[in-house]
Amino acid sequence: MSKKNRRRTPPKPTVVFDFGGVLSAGHDPVPAVHELLGGDAEVLREALWRERDAYDRGAVSAAEYWGAVAAAVGVQQLSEAEVAEVQGADDRYFLRLDPASRSLIHDLARHRVRLALLSNTSQAFGESVRRADWFEAFTLAVISGEERAVKPGREIFEVLLDVLAHETGGVSIPSAIIFFDDRQENVDAARALDIDAHLWPRNGEEHPAGTEHGAAIARRVLAGRGISLD
């Protein structure tokens, strides 16, 4: 057999997005939560992010997480309905997609590019994501709260690789994954596994004049990998 015949056809890339700060329009749910819980907004902010890592790891339930956040601003107990209400406010905030990100998803879906989500977020939010209209464009989502593992840890990236390999019925090829995340440590962790990872300037934050939107960066990266979205 000739060398030409032994060559493998390069696999079609899979595009994987982080969610918060990449697809979502903003990254500050505190005002929405504060409308429900009240109290000192800065104390609320500190508690919400201090407790978030455990929630995103799946180490605590929604009731435990929101109960701790509420207690920080003097609300001693939340009913099941109140927990659902606060979670709903948080979900609605993050589910607002950035317009440029939504347009990018639309163009990728139109060109039949396989899409996946890899997000540090709670199991509850993962369920909301899968009900969103735009999620129809995605093949799968790997959610930290469901996997009990978070970025930048190696384990959650290995879960992603295993799931993608299962979807294709083959061996995972990290270099065939194009990944976008708004945290450099997550980009670095992905690159350590040979994933083609790129930093996306966080949506909802001010950037120096002349800074490109993450969607513009992504379009250029994708074009370089042979994914034309014209």
PDB file of all heavy atoms in Angstrom, residues 124-142:
ATOM      1  N   ALA A 124     -28.136  22.529  38.193  1.00  0.00           N
ATOM      2  CA  ALA A 124     -29.401  23.221  37.924  1.00  0.00           C
ATOM      3  C   ALA A 124     -29.301  24.085  36.677  1.00  0.00           C
ATOM      4  O   ALA A 124     -30.213  24.097  35.842  1.00  0.00           O
ATOM      5  CB  ALA A 124     -29.797  24.081  39.129  1.00  0.00           C
ATOM      6  N   PHE A 125     -28.190  24.808  36.536  1.00  0.00           N
ATOM      7  CA  PHE A 125     -28.051  25.633  35.355  1.00  0.00           C
ATOM      8  C   PHE A 125     -27.843  24.776  34.113  1.00  0.00           C
ATOM      9  O   PHE A 125     -28.321  25.121  33.020  1.00  0.00           O
ATOM     10  CB  PHE A 125     -26.897  26.621  35.498  1.00  0.00           C
ATOM     11  CG  PHE A 125     -26.811  27.592  34.349  1.00  0.00           C
ATOM     12  CD1 PHE A 125     -27.766  28.581  34.194  1.00  0.00           C
ATOM     13  CD2 PHE A 125     -25.799  27.492  33.411  1.00  0.00           C
ATOM     14  CE1 PHE A 125     -27.711  29.467  33.118  1.00  0.00           C
ATOM     15  CE2 PHE A 125     -25.730  28.369  32.344  1.00  0.00           C
ATOM     16  CZ  PHE A 125     -26.692  29.363  32.202  1.00  0.00           C
ATOM     17  N   GLY A 126     -27.153  23.667  34.251  1.00  0.00           N
ATOM     18  CA  GLY A 126     -26.983  22.752  33.124  1.00  0.00           C
ATOM     19  C   GLY A 126     -28.321  22.292  32.575  1.00  0.00           C
ATOM     20  O   GLY A 126     -28.507  22.186  31.354  1.00  0.00           O
ATOM     21  N   GLU A 127     -29.269  22.047  33.454  1.00  0.00           N
ATOM     22  CA  GLU A 127     -30.603  21.643  33.013  1.00  0.00           C
ATOM     23  C   GLU A 127     -31.288  22.773  32.253  1.00  0.00           C
ATOM     24  O   GLU A 127     -31.961  22.541  31.237  1.00  0.00           O
ATOM     25  CB  GLU A 127     -31.435  21.229  34.227  1.00  0.00           C
ATOM     26  CG  GLU A 127     -30.921  19.956  34.899  1.00  0.00           C
ATOM     27  CD  GLU A 127     -31.585  19.684  36.244  1.00  0.00           C
ATOM     28  OE1 GLU A 127     -32.407  20.519  36.676  1.00  0.00           O
ATOM     29  OE2 GLU A 127     -31.271  18.642  36.849  1.00  0.00           O
ATOM     30  N   SER A 128     -31.101  24.008  32.715  1.00  0.00           N
ATOM     31  CA  SER A 128     -31.698  25.152  32.026  1.00  0.00           C
ATOM     32  C   SER A 128     -31.066  25.367  30.652  1.00  0.00           C
ATOM     33  O   SER A 128     -31.756  25.705  29.689  1.00  0.00           O
ATOM     34  CB  SER A 128     -31.527  26.422  32.873  1.00  0.00           C
ATOM     35  OG  SER A 128     -32.281  26.338  34.065  1.00  0.00           O
ATOM     36  N   VAL A 129     -29.756  25.178  30.571  1.00  0.00           N
ATOM     37  CA  VAL A 129     -29.054  25.328  29.297  1.00  0.00           C
ATOM     38  C   VAL A 129     -29.634  24.383  28.255  1.00  0.00           C
ATOM     39  O   VAL A 129     -29.880  24.770  27.107  1.00  0.00           O
ATOM     40  CB  VAL A 129     -27.546  25.065  29.477  1.00  0.00           C
ATOM     41  CG1 VAL A 129     -26.877  24.759  28.146  1.00  0.00           C
ATOM     42  CG2 VAL A 129     -26.874  26.266  30.122  1.00  0.00           C
ATOM     43  N   ARG A 130     -29.864  23.151  28.637  1.00  0.00           N
ATOM     44  CA  ARG A 130     -30.344  22.159  27.668  1.00  0.00           C
ATOM     45  C   ARG A 130     -31.772  22.435  27.209  1.00  0.00           C
ATOM     46  O   ARG A 130     -32.214  21.881  26.203  1.00  0.00           O
ATOM     47  CB  ARG A 130     -30.228  20.758  28.263  1.00  0.00           C
ATOM     48  CG  ARG A 130     -28.778  20.316  28.471  1.00  0.00           C
ATOM     49  CD  ARG A 130     -28.704  18.865  28.890  1.00  0.00           C
ATOM     50  NE  ARG A 130     -27.324  18.419  29.043  1.00  0.00           N
ATOM     51  CZ  ARG A 130     -26.648  18.417  30.179  1.00  0.00           C
ATOM     52  NH1 ARG A 130     -27.233  18.851  31.296  1.00  0.00           N
ATOM     53  NH2 ARG A 130     -25.401  17.992  30.233  1.00  0.00           N
ATOM     54  N   ARG A 131     -32.495  23.293  27.924  1.00  0.00           N
ATOM     55  CA  ARG A 131     -33.851  23.661  27.499  1.00  0.00           C
ATOM     56  C   ARG A 131     -33.871  24.924  26.640  1.00  0.00           C
ATOM     57  O   ARG A 131     -34.905  25.280  26.082  1.00  0.00           O
ATOM     58  CB  ARG A 131     -34.748  23.879  28.733  1.00  0.00           C
ATOM     59  CG  ARG A 131     -35.024  22.627  29.536  1.00  0.00           C
ATOM     60  CD  ARG A 131     -36.153  22.855  30.515  1.00  0.00           C
ATOM     61  NE  ARG A 131     -35.807  23.844  31.530  1.00  0.00           N
ATOM     62  CZ  ARG A 131     -35.274  23.558  32.723  1.00  0.00           C
ATOM     63  NH1 ARG A 131     -35.004  22.297  33.040  1.00  0.00           N
ATOM     64  NH2 ARG A 131     -35.006  24.512  33.601  1.00  0.00           N
ATOM     65  N   ALA A 132     -32.724  25.592  26.526  1.00  0.00           N
ATOM     66  CA  ALA A 132     -32.659  26.841  25.768  1.00  0.00           C
ATOM     67  C   ALA A 132     -32.817  26.576  24.273  1.00  0.00           C
ATOM     68  O   ALA A 132     -32.376  25.539  23.757  1.00  0.00           O
ATOM     69  CB  ALA A 132     -31.331  27.550  26.031  1.00  0.00           C
ATOM     70  N   ASP A 133     -33.448  27.531  23.561  1.00  0.00           N
ATOM     71  CA  ASP A 133     -33.692  27.336  22.131  1.00  0.00           C
ATOM     72  C   ASP A 133     -32.401  27.157  21.343  1.00  0.00           C
ATOM     73  O   ASP A 133     -32.318  26.302  20.456  1.00  0.00           O
ATOM     74  CB  ASP A 133     -34.502  28.510  21.563  1.00  0.00           C
ATOM     75  CG  ASP A 133     -33.795  29.856  21.710  1.00  0.00           C
ATOM     76  OD1 ASP A 133     -32.835  29.959  22.519  1.00  0.00           O
ATOM     77  OD2 ASP A 133     -34.201  30.806  21.015  1.00  0.00           O
ATOM     78  N   TRP A 134     -31.370  27.923  21.681  1.00  0.00           N
ATOM     79  CA  TRP A 134     -30.117  27.874  20.927  1.00  0.00           C
ATOM     80  C   TRP A 134     -29.340  26.581  21.137  1.00  0.00           C
ATOM     81  O   TRP A 134     -28.448  26.251  20.335  1.00  0.00           O
ATOM     82  CB  TRP A 134     -29.222  29.064  21.288  1.00  0.00           C
ATOM     83  CG  TRP A 134     -29.017  29.242  22.766  1.00  0.00           C
ATOM     84  CD1 TRP A 134     -29.718  30.063  23.596  1.00  0.00           C
ATOM     85  CD2 TRP A 134     -28.065  28.553  23.593  1.00  0.00           C
ATOM     86  NE1 TRP A 134     -29.256  29.941  24.889  1.00  0.00           N
ATOM     87  CE2 TRP A 134     -28.248  29.031  24.914  1.00  0.00           C
ATOM     88  CE3 TRP A 134     -27.075  27.610  23.337  1.00  0.00           C
ATOM     89  CZ2 TRP A 134     -27.475  28.572  25.975  1.00  0.00           C
ATOM     90  CZ3 TRP A 134     -26.313  27.152  24.395  1.00  0.00           C
ATOM     91  CH2 TRP A 134     -26.513  27.639  25.697  1.00  0.00           C
ATOM     92  N   PHE A 135     -29.671  25.829  22.203  1.00  0.00           N
ATOM     93  CA  PHE A 135     -28.908  24.607  22.478  1.00  0.00           C
ATOM     94  C   PHE A 135     -29.180  23.523  21.427  1.00  0.00           C
ATOM     95  O   PHE A 135     -28.429  22.556  21.332  1.00  0.00           O
ATOM     96  CB  PHE A 135     -29.216  24.077  23.877  1.00  0.00           C
ATOM     97  CG  PHE A 135     -28.293  22.964  24.305  1.00  0.00           C
ATOM     98  CD1 PHE A 135     -26.973  23.216  24.622  1.00  0.00           C
ATOM     99  CD2 PHE A 135     -28.748  21.653  24.356  1.00  0.00           C
ATOM    100  CE1 PHE A 135     -26.111  22.189  24.989  1.00  0.00           C
ATOM    101  CE2 PHE A 135     -27.903  20.620  24.736  1.00  0.00           C
ATOM    102  CZ  PHE A 135     -26.583  20.891  25.050  1.00  0.00           C
ATOM    103  N   GLU A 136     -30.198  23.706  20.616  1.00  0.00           N
ATOM    104  CA  GLU A 136     -30.457  22.750  19.532  1.00  0.00           C
ATOM    105  C   GLU A 136     -29.266  22.625  18.592  1.00  0.00           C
ATOM    106  O   GLU A 136     -29.089  21.613  17.922  1.00  0.00           O
ATOM    107  CB  GLU A 136     -31.689  23.180  18.733  1.00  0.00           C
ATOM    108  CG  GLU A 136     -32.993  23.079  19.500  1.00  0.00           C
ATOM    109  CD  GLU A 136     -34.185  23.478  18.652  1.00  0.00           C
ATOM    110  OE1 GLU A 136     -33.995  23.731  17.447  1.00  0.00           O
ATOM    111  OE2 GLU A 136     -35.298  23.535  19.192  1.00  0.00           O
ATOM    112  N   ALA A 137     -28.434  23.684  18.542  1.00  0.00           N
ATOM    113  CA  ALA A 137     -27.263  23.661  17.665  1.00  0.00           C
ATOM    114  C   ALA A 137     -26.130  22.806  18.235  1.00  0.00           C
ATOM    115  O   ALA A 137     -25.174  22.495  17.519  1.00  0.00           O
ATOM    116  CB  ALA A 137     -26.759  25.084  17.438  1.00  0.00           C
ATOM    117  N   PHE A 138     -26.235  22.409  19.498  1.00  0.00           N
ATOM    118  CA  PHE A 138     -25.152  21.707  20.182  1.00  0.00           C
ATOM    119  C   PHE A 138     -25.396  20.201  20.225  1.00  0.00           C
ATOM    120  O   PHE A 138     -26.526  19.739  20.389  1.00  0.00           O
ATOM    121  CB  PHE A 138     -24.992  22.237  21.605  1.00  0.00           C
ATOM    122  CG  PHE A 138     -24.325  23.590  21.672  1.00  0.00           C
ATOM    123  CD1 PHE A 138     -24.994  24.733  21.251  1.00  0.00           C
ATOM    124  CD2 PHE A 138     -23.024  23.718  22.132  1.00  0.00           C
ATOM    125  CE1 PHE A 138     -24.384  25.971  21.291  1.00  0.00           C
ATOM    126  CE2 PHE A 138     -22.405  24.956  22.174  1.00  0.00           C
ATOM    127  CZ  PHE A 138     -23.081  26.087  21.751  1.00  0.00           C
ATOM    128  N   THR A 139     -24.299  19.467  20.121  1.00  0.00           N
ATOM    129  CA  THR A 139     -24.360  18.011  20.236  1.00  0.00           C
ATOM    130  C   THR A 139     -24.434  17.584  21.695  1.00  0.00           C
ATOM    131  O   THR A 139     -25.153  16.643  22.038  1.00  0.00           O
ATOM    132  CB  THR A 139     -23.121  17.366  19.577  1.00  0.00           C
ATOM    133  OG1 THR A 139     -23.101  17.714  18.195  1.00  0.00           O
ATOM    134  CG2 THR A 139     -23.142  15.851  19.721  1.00  0.00           C
ATOM    135  N   LEU A 140     -23.711  18.286  22.556  1.00  0.00           N
ATOM    136  CA  LEU A 140     -23.643  17.869  23.961  1.00  0.00           C
ATOM    137  C   LEU A 140     -23.140  18.999  24.831  1.00  0.00           C
ATOM    138  O   LEU A 140     -22.604  20.003  24.344  1.00  0.00           O
ATOM    139  CB  LEU A 140     -22.728  16.644  24.113  1.00  0.00           C
ATOM    140  CG  LEU A 140     -21.284  16.805  23.619  1.00  0.00           C
ATOM    141  CD1 LEU A 140     -20.357  17.211  24.759  1.00  0.00           C
ATOM    142  CD2 LEU A 140     -20.784  15.512  22.993  1.00  0.00           C
ATOM    143  N   ALA A 141     -23.307  18.812  26.135  1.00  0.00           N
ATOM    144  CA  ALA A 141     -22.768  19.738  27.131  1.00  0.00           C
ATOM    145  C   ALA A 141     -22.103  18.934  28.237  1.00  0.00           C
ATOM    146  O   ALA A 141     -22.668  17.942  28.720  1.00  0.00           O
ATOM    147  CB  ALA A 141     -23.873  20.616  27.712  1.00  0.00           C
ATOM    148  N   VAL A 142     -20.911  19.342  28.618  1.00  0.00           N
ATOM    149  CA  VAL A 142     -20.219  18.766  29.775  1.00  0.00           C
ATOM    150  C   VAL A 142     -20.278  19.824  30.872  1.00  0.00           C
ATOM    151  O   VAL A 142     -19.708  20.907  30.736  1.00  0.00           O
ATOM    152  CB  VAL A 142     -18.766  18.393  29.449  1.00  0.00           C
ATOM    153  CG1 VAL A 142     -18.044  17.897  30.702  1.00  0.00           C
ATOM    154  CG2 VAL A 142     -18.727  17.322  28.360  1.00  0.00           C
TER     155      VAL A 142
END
